[in-house]
Amino acid sequence: MERRVAERLRGALGPLGLEAHAFKVGWYNAVLQPAFHLPYPDDTLAFVVLSTPSMFDKALKPFVNKERLKIIRDPVDQCVSHHLSRVKEKFPDQRVDVMFDYEMLPSRKPKFLAQTAAHVAGAAYYYQRKDVKLDPWGKKKIFGVCVHPKYGGWFAIRGLLLFPDIQVPLLEQPTPADCVSTEEKRIELLEQFNFHWQDGRYRDIIEVKERYSEEQKAYFATPPAERFRLLGLSQEAQ
C-alpha cells in the first residue's frame, strides 16, 4: 500500500520540484518529547514533503502567473498549500491530513518539527550538537540543521501528508545519508549555520548536484514584504 501511495505522490509532486519521503508516525514520536508527538497511532503512514531547487521555476512562477490576483500572503506558502491540497484529490477514498511547516498550535509550538521528520524519513540528515564529540561552543545555544545528500542546504521542508487510515507495520526505516561525516566538517557546518547563516555557505558544506538559481537566491534574500515586487506582483495582489 505504501508503495502505491508513494508512486502516486511522486507522479503528482515530482514535476513540481517537490519530493515526498515516507515514514511511520512512531519513528517520529519515538525521538521527541510527548509535547511534540503527532496524535496518530505509531504505524500510521506519513510523508515529509521537501522543495528542491527546481520548485522555483516548476511550481512557484507558474502558480504566481496563474493566481496573481489571489496572492494575499507569502507566495511560496500559498503555492505549496495549493499543490498539497490538489494532491489530496488524488486519494478520493482516503483521508489525507496536511500540515505545513509554518503552522502553529495554540500553544505557539510548531505543528511538527520539520527537521526531525526529514531525518526519520531518511530524506536528509539532521546534524545537531550531539553529533560533535568535542563540543567547542560552551554555553552558546547551537541549532541543528538538515543536509540533503543531493542538494546540501539548497532545499526546504514544506509539510507533512498523513494517511490516518493506512497502517504500515512492516515499513522499514531508512537511514539518512551521513554526508557530513567528519568531526571538522560537522563543526564547520554548525558554525556557519548558527553564526553566518546569511551568507549561505553552510548550504555548500558538501558538493551539491543542484543549487538555487541567482534569481531564486535574490528572492529568498529579499525581505518578505518586498518579494512581491520581484515576482511582478502589484500592490493590489498584496
Side-chain angles (χ1 to χ4, degrees):
M1 188 64 177
E2 175 271 331
R3 204 164 291 171
R4 284 206 303 276
V5 174
E7 282 171 8
R8 207 177 291 180
L9 286 177
R10 268 195 293 275
L13 298 176
L16 301 168
L18 298 169
E19 289 183 354
H21 297 263
F23 68 97
K24 288 202 301 189
V25 164
W27 303 344
Y28 174 91
N29 287 349
V31 296
L32 292 171
Q33 296 169 340
F36 292 103
H37 284 186
L38 294 170
Y40 300 85
D42 282 353
D43 288 334
T44 304
L45 177 63
F47 290 82
V48 62
V49 178
L50 316 179
S51 61
T52 73
S54 66
M55 188 272 279
F56 192 79
D57 286 322
K58 289 180 176 176
L60 180 64
K61 291 206 285 192
F63 173 78
V64 166
N65 287 334
K66 190 170 173 222
E67 306 289 333
R68 186 170 296 276
L69 297 176
K70 298 182 196 164
I71 292 179
I72 52 171
R73 53 173 207 273
D74 184 86
V76 174
D77 288 349
Q78 272 186 262
C79 173
V80 172
S81 173
H82 168 78
H83 286 299
L84 293 192
S85 298
R86 293 278 303 273
V87 161
K88 289 175 73 168
E89 296 166 16
K90 306 269 183 198
F91 300 93
D93 302 325
Q94 297 289 349
R95 179 179 149 201
V96 185
D97 294 346
V98 184
M99 293 181 187
F100 298 102
D101 65 302
Y102 52 82
E103 289 186 298
M104 297 284 183
L105 295 166
S107 64
R108 302 307 296 158
K109 286 189 175 81
K111 273 199 171 178
F112 74 99
L113 298 183
Q115 301 201 102
T116 300
H119 186 92
V120 300
Y125 201 108
Y126 184 24
Y127 290 98
Q128 301 175 73
R129 188 174 195 156
K130 64 184 175 60
D131 295 308
V132 172
K133 292 187 182 72
L134 299 172
D135 184 324
W137 298 295
K139 293 184 177 175
K140 288 180 184 170
K141 188 163 180 61
I142 298 295
F143 294 96
V145 60
C146 272
V147 177
H148 191 287
K150 186 175 177 185
Y151 306 116
W154 300 102
F155 77 104
I157 303 156
R158 299 296 179 187
L160 297 186
L161 295 168
L162 297 120
F163 292 79
D165 301 329
I166 302 179
Q167 302 295 300
V168 283
L170 301 179
L171 188 64
E172 290 187 18
Q173 186 169 6
T175 303
D178 181 6
C179 44
V180 186
S181 54
T182 69
E183 179 92 348
E184 293 74 22
K185 275 286 180 189
R186 289 178 181 184
I187 291 172
E188 184 185 340
L189 169 68
L190 293 173
E191 288 267 342
Q192 288 181 359
F193 179 69
N194 280 273
F195 308 121
H196 310 285
W197 62 268
Q198 293 97 329
D199 64 24
R201 281 181 298 153
Y202 78 90
R203 298 179 188 271
D204 286 310
I205 194 71
I206 62 167
E207 197 161 317
V208 298
K209 303 274 194 302
E210 193 181 342
R211 55 171 61 83
Y212 291 175
S213 64
E214 291 307 313
E215 180 187 17
Q216 191 171 176
K217 285 183 200 170
Y219 176 82
F220 286 115
T222 300
E226 296 167 33
R227 290 175 183 172
F228 287 90
R229 186 176 45 79
L230 289 183
L231 292 173
L233 292 166
S234 63
Q235 286 295 119
E236 291 79 20
Q238 293 180 47

